[in-house]
Amino acid sequence: MTQILDPKVALKVQKAIRQAEDYLVIAIETALDNCEYSKSGDKKLEESQFNNLLRVADTTDSPEVIKNFICYQVGRDEKWGRGKKSLAAKIIQDIDISLKIRANQIVADNPSSDFKYIWIQLIRRYIGYGSRYLKYLNEVKGKANSSVVDPRNAEGSREQVETNSKDGK
């Protein structure tokens, strides 16, 4: 994979990748809030599994290698979920569709840029934000008054969770 040699193009590409960050955060948080995967017990998806995925993403320039690692993890145990509604399936779908579309948009705006370089940068950030959010979810789930944000619904918006404290109960 090549870096972008023209400094002006490289700066524009980096800016476009940074501008995609909100989308990346929302996409992975929505997946973690809505997909099927082990959220408790001895089969719970831990941050270490996400960090292993992030390490693979950081050491390869191939989206296929990353997807292969996810499939390997699914084959090992059920922590990532199984089936079409699983977290694993959603991450692979996001890599193949929405992150690829974002990378193509950045390339369309910067024709002399490297598509694969941009795509892998988006994937790495997406997975990294997932690792952070999973740490948050694993720490606050089931602990009273620990949550600082409402979960995202399937469309990516924060759900407004009604609480009894509003009524003074």
Side-chain angles (χ1 to χ4, degrees), residues 19-47:
Q19 289 174 334
E21 287 180 322
D22 281 348
Y23 170 80
L24 300 172
V25 169
I26 291 168
I28 192 62
E29 287 183 1
T30 301
L32 283 161
D33 285 339
N34 294 284
C35 291
E36 296 172 1
Y37 63 98
S38 297
K39 298 175 184 173
S40 61
D42 62 340
K43 297 260 186 208
K44 178 171 102 171
L45 181 61
E46 298 284 348
E47 303 87 58

Side-chain angles (χ1 to χ4, degrees), residues 19 28 33 36 41 73 82 91 135 140 152 155 160 168:
Q19 289 174 334
I28 192 62
D33 285 339
E36 296 172 1
Q73 291 297 323
R82 292 191 174 154
I91 291 172
K135 173 69 174 175
V140 302
R152 292 191 185 274
E155 291 78 39
Q160 296 300 315

Side-chain angles (χ1 to χ4, degrees), residues 27 40 43-44 52 64 67 69 86 112 119 125 135 161:
S40 61
K43 297 260 186 208
K44 178 171 102 171
N52 289 342
E64 295 303 320
K67 295 185 300 184
F69 183 78
S86 70
S112 61
W119 191 19
R125 289 172 190 240
K135 173 69 174 175
V161 179

Side-chain angles (χ1 to χ4, degrees), residues 106-120:
I106 293 171
V107 170
D109 293 340
N110 303 281
S112 61
S113 59
D114 181 350
F115 166 76
K116 201 167 183 185
Y117 169 80
I118 295 166
W119 191 19
I120 201 77

